[in-house]
Amino acid sequence: MTTRYSRGAILLHWLMALLIVWVGTLGLLHDSWPKHTQAFWINIHALLGRIVWRRQHPPPPLPADLDAFSRRLSAPVHWLLYTLLFIIPIIGIVTFIWHGRVLNFGLFQIDFGVKSNRAIFHPTEDIHGYLAYALFALAGLHALGALWHQFIRRDGMISRMWPRF
């Protein structure tokens, strides 16, 4: 029985980490972009961030000698990360649509025919932002936990998700 994640899971993990940083940056900075480019970048922001992998590819079992604190936190932290990665884009799309925007995929567009309604998009925009900050904080704690395992506990836990070169 392997204690490492599969190559696909490792690749997806690090791609998602990069996408979270990229999409988060796009979300935080979109108001400062030139007006004529905002629609393009908001479309890019709205299209990123999908996850299905975990359900079809369960993680390897935790090492038997893992401390109780880490064992108790592992599953809830990961499921909260996955939940946020699922919910945040949905709320973002609702916000996007009620802004009266058109999804532009380059080759085609989807116009929902919805007029901008601040009473709807303003609260969903706030919720989307707050949940994104929660995701950033949780991802930061996740990274700190990995570093704690690597440099304080020295238990090799990070090797489960670190690519082999």
Side-chain angles (χ1 to χ4, degrees):
M1 181 182 307
T2 182
T3 60
R4 286 185 51 81
Y5 284 84
S6 68
R7 284 184 180 153
I10 292 170
L11 178 65
L12 182 61
H13 175 269
W14 292 108
L15 285 175
M16 288 303 296
L18 290 172
L19 286 174
I20 288 168
V21 170
W22 187 43
V23 171
T25 302
L26 292 177
L28 291 171
L29 300 178
H30 74 83
D31 286 335
S32 63
W33 303 326
K35 287 286 185 197
H36 67 282
T37 65
Q38 282 187 7
F40 171 77
W41 289 113
I42 290 170
N43 284 338
I44 295 295
H45 175 81
L47 295 174
L48 298 175
R50 310 288 180 254
I51 193 162
V52 177
W53 185 270
R54 174 93 183 242
R55 186 173 196 140
Q56 296 168 349
H57 300 86
L62 294 171
D65 61 346
L66 185 66
D67 63 288
F69 179 74
S70 296
R71 189 172 291 283
R72 275 195 309 273
L73 283 181
S74 178
V77 166
H78 282 92
W79 282 110
L80 187 53
L81 281 167
Y82 298 137
T83 301
L84 289 171
L85 287 169
F86 179 74
I87 291 173
I88 291 169
I90 291 171
I91 295 172
I93 289 169
V94 168
T95 302
F96 185 90
I97 291 169
W98 285 99
H99 257 287
R101 294 186 172 126
V102 174
L103 284 175
N104 185 348
F105 294 94
L107 297 175
F108 65 95
Q109 296 181 357
I110 300 175
D111 185 351
F112 296 93
V114 175
K115 293 194 185 265
S116 180
N117 185 335
R118 186 168 177 78
I120 295 174
F121 81 71
H122 186 67
T124 60
E125 190 171 59
D126 287 345
I127 292 167
H128 179 75
Y130 295 142
L131 290 177
Y133 286 127
L135 175 63
F136 301 154
L138 193 58
L141 289 174
H142 175 71
L144 285 174
L147 294 173
W148 178 72
H149 277 281
Q150 180 67 19
F151 297 110
I152 306 298
R153 294 215 29 160
R154 298 184 186 273
D155 59 8
M157 184 64 74
I158 201 169
S159 68
R160 291 165 43 94
M161 188 52 81
W162 201 254
R164 289 184 185 164
F165 298 103

